[in-house]
């Protein structure tokens, strides 16, 4: 084939769609075959559209991240939500569109810093993607691209691919999503990508506790999750937004193990997430 691990070079006569299908197949495997849906990632007051995401994986077209008004902060929010990102339709870099190249370099740097796995489809290898006409003023751009290409080469090594993901803290992500206000459903769909840590399509009690610890860190500067807060959120998210009383008989008052038969479904998280956040904030 015409690819080496994470970087696929488009074969002669191959359409963009074929490259995209290759990327989607690879990403789908990394997402535990979860169906891709549209989600949004919040960055302060802005919302970043992620047209295809699932299982902690996102697929973008090059223009969606580099020919738009996105900057380093937006890329950081993406890198803190998804452990793997696919980029299709990467074009050749030219001095005429140096703005695109600079944005792509920023994108590469942010993904690299957060140890996000990057898969891409492009017309040539990364090393030869920038077509310089050798003009005097182009040395800086050539140097900048060489540095980015060497990062891309490192990002395709086994060592990098196996390195643990290093997202920004969940507290930072929740702050960007402004969870103290009403969170739009598409942003809740984005947050799910981060907190369904084992990507099995449901949240268990341990994953919920991580989210609440991040919420408390954001609001109070501590990560302690009182049992009452955990129970309250759990009940709202497994009991259709109601604070019922959970039957604790036979449990000796202990928390159910994460192998218990109770889980928070994606649908309930999207539907009742705001009520659960509001309830938790009165208890933290």
């Amino acid at each position: 084939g015409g690819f080496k691990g994470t970087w696929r070079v488009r074969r002669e006569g191959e359409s963009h769609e074929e490259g995209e299908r290759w990327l989607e197949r690879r990403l789908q495997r990394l997402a535990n075959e979860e169906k891709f849906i549209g989600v949004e990632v919040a960055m302060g007051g802005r919302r970043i559209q992620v047209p295809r995401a699932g299982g902690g994986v996102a697929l973008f077209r090059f223009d969606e991240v580099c020919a738009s008004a996105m900057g380093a902060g937006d890329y950081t929010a993406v890198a803190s939500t998804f452990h793997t990102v696919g980029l299709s339709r990467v074009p050749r870099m030219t001095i005429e569109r140096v703005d695109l190249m600079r944005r792509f370099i920023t994108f590469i740097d942010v993904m690299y810093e957060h140890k996000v796995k990057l898969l891409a489809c492009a017309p040539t290898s990364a090393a030869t993607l920038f077509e310089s006409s050798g003009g005097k003023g182009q040395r800086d751009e050539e140097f900048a691209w060489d540095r980015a290409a060497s990062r891309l080469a490192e990002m395709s090594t086994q060592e990098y691919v196996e390195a643990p993901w290093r997202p920004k803290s969940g507290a930072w992500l929740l702050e960007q999503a402004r969870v103290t206000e009403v969170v739009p459903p598409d942003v809740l769909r984005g947050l799910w990508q981060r907190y369904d840590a084992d990507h099995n399509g449901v949240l268990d009690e341990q994953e919920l506790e991580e989210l609440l610890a991040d919420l408390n860190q954001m609001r109070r500067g501590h990560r302690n999750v009182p049992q009452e807060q955990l129970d309250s959120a759990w009940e709202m998210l497994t009991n259709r937004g109601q604070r019922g009383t959970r039957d604790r008989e036979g449990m000796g008052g202990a928390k159910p193990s994460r192998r218990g038969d109770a889980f928070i479904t994606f649908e309930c998280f999207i539907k009742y997430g705001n009520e659960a956040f509001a309830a938790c904030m009165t208890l933290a």
Side-chain angles (χ1 to χ4, degrees):
F3 67 90
K4 180 192 163 209
T6 57
W7 186 273
R8 178 185 169 107
V9 174
R10 227 174 40 246
R11 289 188 292 270
E12 213 175 316
E14 185 179 68
S15 68
H16 282 303
E17 287 70 26
E18 284 174 275
E20 236 155 40
R21 279 197 294 275
W22 172 84
L23 256 183
E24 201 155 339
R25 279 196 304 274
R26 302 233 12 193
L27 291 169
Q28 228 70 79
R29 285 202 292 273
L30 293 169
N32 286 347
E33 302 297 337
E34 238 182 74
K35 190 164 122 325
F36 284 176
I37 56 168
V39 308
E40 287 179 353
V41 172
M43 174 61 202
R46 293 194 305 286
R47 278 150 61 182
I48 302 153
Q49 310 282 326
V50 186
R52 286 158 292 181
V57 168
L59 173 56
F60 292 99
R61 287 181 174 173
F62 177 87
D63 283 355
E64 289 164 350
V65 291
C66 298
S68 63
M70 283 170 76
D74 305 294
Y75 298 152
T76 301
V78 167
S80 298
T81 304
F82 303 102
H83 57 77
T84 301
V85 170
L87 203 57
S88 70
R89 305 188 181 217
V90 176
R92 290 180 185 277
M93 303 289 133
T94 63
I95 204 72
E96 288 74 42
R97 291 306 311 269
V98 78
D99 56 320
L100 285 184
M101 184 173 93
R102 285 178 185 152
R103 230 179 250 139
F104 188 30
I105 290 173
T106 302
F107 175 79
I108 293 163
D109 285 345
V110 171
M111 296 303 125
Y112 179 87
E113 281 154 25
H114 295 87
K115 294 290 171 275
V116 172
K117 318 294 172 265
L118 180 63
L119 280 75
C121 266
T124 75
S125 71
T128 55
L129 201 61
F130 176 47
E131 295 179 324
S132 165
S133 54
K136 245 195 191 144
Q138 293 183 29
R139 294 274 154 68
D140 288 352
E141 306 303 343
E142 282 174 25
F143 176 75
W145 181 254
D146 285 348
R147 185 179 150 278
S150 92
R151 282 208 151 166
L152 285 169
E154 189 187 330
M155 289 165 89
S156 70
T157 62
Q158 193 167 353
E159 190 182 351
Y160 180 92
V161 170
E162 288 173 358
W165 179 39
R166 285 212 306 253
K168 271 184 95 73
S169 75
W172 180 86
L173 204 63
L174 293 175
E175 196 174 332
Q176 302 312 318
R178 297 188 169 171
V179 292
T180 51
E181 302 161 25
V182 174
V183 183
D186 277 352
V187 175
L188 285 172
R189 290 186 179 98
L191 288 174
W192 175 273
Q193 306 293 320
R194 166 82 180 239
Y195 288 101
D196 177 18
D198 54 10
H199 308 303
N200 64 348
V202 292
L203 289 193
D204 57 38
E205 198 148 350
Q206 197 169 323
E207 289 166 333
L208 177 64
E209 194 167 352
E210 179 67 17
L211 191 160
L212 298 180
D214 287 341
L215 186 68
N216 294 345
Q217 173 97 49
M218 178 194 105
R219 296 185 64 247
R220 307 265 191 249
H222 69 74
R223 296 186 63 75
N224 175 46
V225 179
Q227 186 66 42
E228 184 192 1
Q229 190 189 23
L230 185 61
D231 289 349
S232 168
W234 185 262
E235 282 165 11
M236 293 204 114
L237 289 165
T238 55
N239 203 24
R240 295 184 297 285
Q242 302 301 308
R243 244 198 212 148
T245 49
R246 195 163 56 168
D247 176 17
R248 300 184 78 106
E249 276 178 45
M251 281 171 48
K255 283 194 306 187
S257 81
R258 57 178 303 174
R259 287 182 298 280
D261 55 3
F263 292 108
I264 297 163
T265 65
F266 176 73
E267 288 71 22
C268 286
F269 183 76
I270 305 311
K271 211 165 176 185
Y272 308 114
N274 282 301
E275 283 100 320
F277 285 144
C280 288
M281 290 192 214
T282 61
L283 294 166

